[in-house]
Amino acid sequence: MDILQILLNGIVLGSLYACIAIGFSLVWGVLNIINMLHGSFIILGGYLAFFAWQYSGVNPVFLLPIIATALFGLGYLLQYFFINKVVMSPVLTTLTLTFGLDMILYNLMTVFFTATPRRVTLDLGTVNLGDMYLPVDRLMGMGLALFLTALLFLVMRASKIGRAIVAVRMDRQAATLMGIRVNNVYAITFGIGAFMAGAAGVIFSMVFPITTNLTGTFLGKAFVICVIGGLGSVPGALIGGIALGLIESFAGYTIGPQNATTVGFVLMLFLLIVRPTGLVGVKGYE
Amino acid sequence: MAEKLINDDAVDVIMAPFGSGHTKIIAAVAERYQVPMLACVASSVSVYDQGFKYLFGTLAPNTGMTESMVEFFKAKSPDLKKVAVYGRDDVFPKAMASALATSAESGGLDVVYNELYAVGTMDHSAAISAIKSADPDWVYMTGYTQDLILGRKQLADLGVTAPIVTMVTGPAYREFTEGLGELADGVTSSTWWHHSTAYTDAVGPWSTTADFYSDFTAAYKTDPDYVHASCAAAADVLVNAIQVAGSKDKQAVRDALAATDILTFYGPIDFGDNGMNQGREMPIIQVQGEEIMVLYPESIVNADMKMIK
């Protein structure tokens, strides 16, 4: 029974990891930007959910669309007015710019919200399957990961903006000649990434104590998940997240929690050597 | 930063940063330049056993906390047999977890789980599933507030029902109880100071513990914890040392600090050969409802211990 519990723990944890990585993967895959702001976007979504809940008493789940949309707006503006200026530069330039923007956002959040850990204390209980326990808030995270993956899949396949994003990713110049406003597409893509980070932050405010100290941890996880899952494929982040969750869960149980995160990084290095595209990534995106 | 403070700003004394890990690093810089340093939030003996002459700490050694806790819980819960120890792999939390495991074994308890978790761990479910399988009577977890909030929540999420849950030093901070709500109820901890202590005739601006408590709550609208008290006491000690030395000369202040033997509102401060405040009787506290109650020592008890149901 322990093994089943560990398996479930891993899947649920992996789904939370997927929530972290979906937006990051999109921005990295489409814009070739390693978005150092991503962890701070998640924490900002968490803080907005916490304070909105604290002052209004409204369950953060109902606030998710509003907060995620607000993050979309922030992401759109940052990309349109700042990152677009250097988007054609080597990846190190955009990485440095987003790092600088992240320092500003991180410190602003620390000044205004302090680094005190905060959590929405709406304990939603657990679902019990015999001797196995599944926390409802984590199941909501799992639902969100599946929903965001499906939403992204639909947007990319069936919407005009999705096709424009794909076109810009395939050939920027040809897309420009076809009348696509490339800078706008970039900004929308970055905004979608921020939207997904904000949505993850709302759910996380019930699962994790939210503090600016976590931004680097989230960013590190997103990076590992993208390498494991691979870029250029919509389900990559979901598969990479669940793979990492399962690995950490079984490693934590069998060889000790002290070594669990190391195993994830070892797997990332192994994949970089033998399969740079990740588990389901597309060649050319690595 | 320490180099800048010493070389550019020409400070006479450094107040150490938060935590044993950071203090240990800055202490080496202060020692190199022979600048006295007062540490008010570093309690790991490993910080003080490097032979430094300019480092002084107002917290007592953290290892002293665990023996009294084991004996106290054994007395309160005669059925107590098995303990699970789960600590963060970091200077202070690791030292506390190690000390508790040692104290529990020498106290006749069976340590059924004893593991560390890495800094930055986002999930404890694998470890907690293993703890649950070991069916302990007592879960002892160390870490910083965000680790402990997550750990306590996951203990509940995964159905661990140990009657004693200790989180060091979670309940000593208000954000721990605020971040957990009802889940904080019943969690015990050790701490270096609690405002229920009642020292009188102390040196410095607060001649009694009650005076400090009164001034603090008036200014900040919240109860002080051991960090506030220890750091305010460190400032008392520094002022006293400068007065005794008659100057801000670094060597004279260092010698005055080494000779310190005074009573502050926080308690007696008498630095040992390694620079740590000598061992004192440290309180065991428990969250009961929305209050932090003192279970030990007898002189300041204000509640009886409750088991978690």
Side-chain angles (χ1 to χ4, degrees):
Chain A
M1 199 58 81
D2 273 357
I3 297 302
L4 278 178
Q5 179 70 63
I6 298 300
L7 182 69
L8 287 174
N9 290 348
I11 292 171
V12 174
L13 174 64
S15 302
L16 295 178
Y17 284 168
C19 288
I20 295 173
I22 291 170
F24 185 79
S25 169
L26 174 74
V27 171
W28 191 1
V30 173
L31 304 182
N32 197 29
I33 292 172
I34 298 175
N35 178 18
M36 303 295 284
L37 276 157
H38 194 75
S40 292
F41 279 160
I42 295 173
I43 292 298
L44 181 58
Y47 274 133
L48 292 176
F50 173 82
F51 287 112
W53 167 75
Q54 190 177 51
Y55 290 110
S56 71
V58 177
N59 188 318
V61 174
F62 299 114
L63 300 167
L64 189 147
I66 300 168
I67 292 171
T69 304
L71 264 291
F72 173 89
L74 176 63
Y76 182 96
L77 293 173
L78 285 175
Q79 176 73 33
Y80 197 87
F81 289 108
F82 296 101
I83 307 171
N84 270 348
K85 309 290 182 199
V86 294
V87 75
M88 296 310 294
S89 307
V91 71
L92 191 60
T93 305
T94 50
L95 184 144
T96 307
L97 176 59
T98 56
F99 177 75
L101 291 169
D102 180 55
M103 294 298 288
I104 294 169
L105 180 57
Y106 176 96
N107 283 295
L108 282 174
M109 287 194 295
T110 303
V111 167
F112 284 107
F113 304 141
T114 77
T116 298
R118 293 183 170 89
R119 191 177 72 86
V120 174
T121 53
L122 285 174
D123 288 307
L124 305 176
T126 56
V127 174
N128 298 358
L129 302 170
D131 288 342
M132 290 176 292
Y133 288 68
L134 287 168
V136 171
D137 48 18
R138 290 184 175 233
L139 286 175
M140 286 171 58
M142 191 172 176
L144 179 70
L146 294 171
F147 172 74
L148 290 180
T149 304
L151 181 68
L152 188 59
F153 186 83
L154 282 174
V155 166
M156 299 300 268
R157 286 294 174 94
S159 74
K160 196 173 169 183
I161 185 63
R163 302 319 294 165
I165 289 171
V166 172
V168 171
R169 175 64 183 85
M170 292 171 75
D171 191 325
R172 184 178 192 270
Q173 285 183 326
T176 307
L177 292 171
M178 294 299 111
I180 294 173
R181 292 160 57 210
V182 173
N183 281 349
N184 193 45
V185 169
Y186 282 154
I188 288 172
T189 308
F190 199 83
I192 293 172
F195 176 96
M196 293 181 165
V202 172
I203 297 296
F204 285 10
S205 68
M206 291 185 282
V207 178
F208 299 108
I210 294 294
T211 160
T212 45
N213 293 336
L214 277 176
T215 57
T217 307
F218 286 158
L219 188 65
K221 291 290 179 199
F223 191 80
V224 174
I225 292 161
C226 285
V227 172
I228 293 174
L231 298 173
S233 157
V234 172
L238 184 64
I239 290 168
I242 289 176
L244 184 64
L246 285 169
I247 288 160
E248 286 190 1
S249 193
F250 278 99
Y253 190 77
T254 52
I255 60 174
Q258 196 177 6
N259 305 307
T261 46
T262 308
V263 174
F265 281 105
V266 169
L267 175 71
M268 182 187 84
L269 287 173
F270 178 74
L271 278 174
L272 280 173
I273 294 166
V274 302
R275 193 179 167 85
T277 55
L279 295 175
V280 293
V282 175
K283 198 166 174 55
Y285 281 71
E286 67 270 22
Chain B
M1 176 59 84
E3 296 265 3
K4 180 185 179 302
L5 286 170
I6 294 167
N7 293 319
D8 294 352
D9 302 331
V11 298
D12 298 306
V13 177
I14 291 178
M15 301 299 280
F18 183 96
S20 295
H22 294 108
T23 298
K24 196 170 184 175
I25 296 164
I26 304 299
V29 181
E31 190 72 17
R32 192 162 72 242
Y33 290 99
Q34 300 188 331
V35 175
M37 183 161 107
L38 271 158
C40 56
V41 204
S43 64
S44 295
V45 176
S46 67
V47 177
Y48 299 89
D49 65 2
Q50 304 174 91
F52 292 163
K53 300 296 180 195
Y54 288 79
L55 172 64
F56 300 92
T58 48
L59 295 183
N62 51 33
T63 45
M65 290 174 150
T66 55
E67 288 164 9
S68 54
M69 179 174 265
V70 168
E71 293 309 314
F72 178 76
F73 285 168
K74 279 169 63 182
K76 289 290 176 185
S77 176
D79 295 334
L80 178 58
K81 297 282 186 293
K82 296 188 286 185
V83 57
V85 181
Y86 183 49
R88 173 174 156 129
D89 191 6
D90 204 347
V91 180
F92 164 70
K94 185 178 176 179
M96 289 302 294
S98 171
L100 191 279
T102 305
S103 300
E105 279 173 353
S106 50
L109 299 181
D110 185 10
V111 180
V112 293
Y113 184 88
N114 186 9
E115 292 283 354
L116 296 171
Y117 59 93
V119 174
T121 295
M122 279 180 59
D123 179 76
H124 302 292
S125 57
I128 289 172
S129 295
I131 289 171
K132 188 180 176 188
S133 298
D135 192 25
D137 307 307
W138 177 15
V139 177
Y140 183 93
M141 181 175 177
T142 67
Y144 294 107
T145 304
Q146 68 198 58
D147 308 311
L148 300 177
I149 291 174
L150 183 60
R152 178 67 190 102
K153 182 174 183 313
Q154 291 203 270
L155 283 168
D157 283 348
L158 293 169
V160 175
T161 55
I164 305 175
V165 174
T166 301
M167 306 208 123
V168 175
T169 56
Y173 299 99
R174 181 169 288 275
E175 49 265 35
F176 174 81
T177 48
E178 288 177 348
L180 278 168
E182 292 178 0
L183 282 177
D185 194 32
V187 175
T188 48
S189 187
S190 316
T191 186
W192 284 265
W193 178 85
H194 190 268
H195 58 76
S196 300
T197 49
Y199 293 104
T200 56
D201 298 326
V203 301
W206 300 288
S207 61
T208 67
T209 310
D211 286 348
F212 174 76
Y213 180 76
S214 170
D215 282 358
F216 189 95
T217 50
Y220 298 107
K221 315 297 180 203
T222 184
D223 287 346
D225 60 36
Y226 77 86
V227 174
H228 303 122
S230 174
C231 293
D236 281 354
V237 168
L238 176 60
V239 170
N240 180 71
I242 291 171
Q243 287 170 344
V244 169
S247 77
K248 291 190 287 183
D249 175 72
K250 296 180 181 67
Q251 183 63 45
V253 171
R254 183 262 157 212
D255 291 343
L257 284 169
T260 296
D261 184 2
I262 59 172
L263 179 71
T264 68
F265 75 90
Y266 160 80
I269 293 181
D270 172 15
F271 299 117
D273 290 340
N274 66 354
M276 281 195 98
N277 195 9
Q278 301 297 293
R280 303 160 48 218
E281 211 168 33
M282 289 168 282
I284 296 172
I285 56 175
Q286 183 174 40
V287 183
Q288 295 188 1
E290 294 182 353
E291 299 293 325
I292 304 297
M293 310 307 284
V294 182
L295 310 179
Y296 176 91
E298 196 63 42
S299 55
I300 55 169
V301 164
N302 61 11
D304 199 16
M305 182 177 174
K306 290 182 179 173
M307 299 296 156
I308 297 173
K309 292 175 180 159

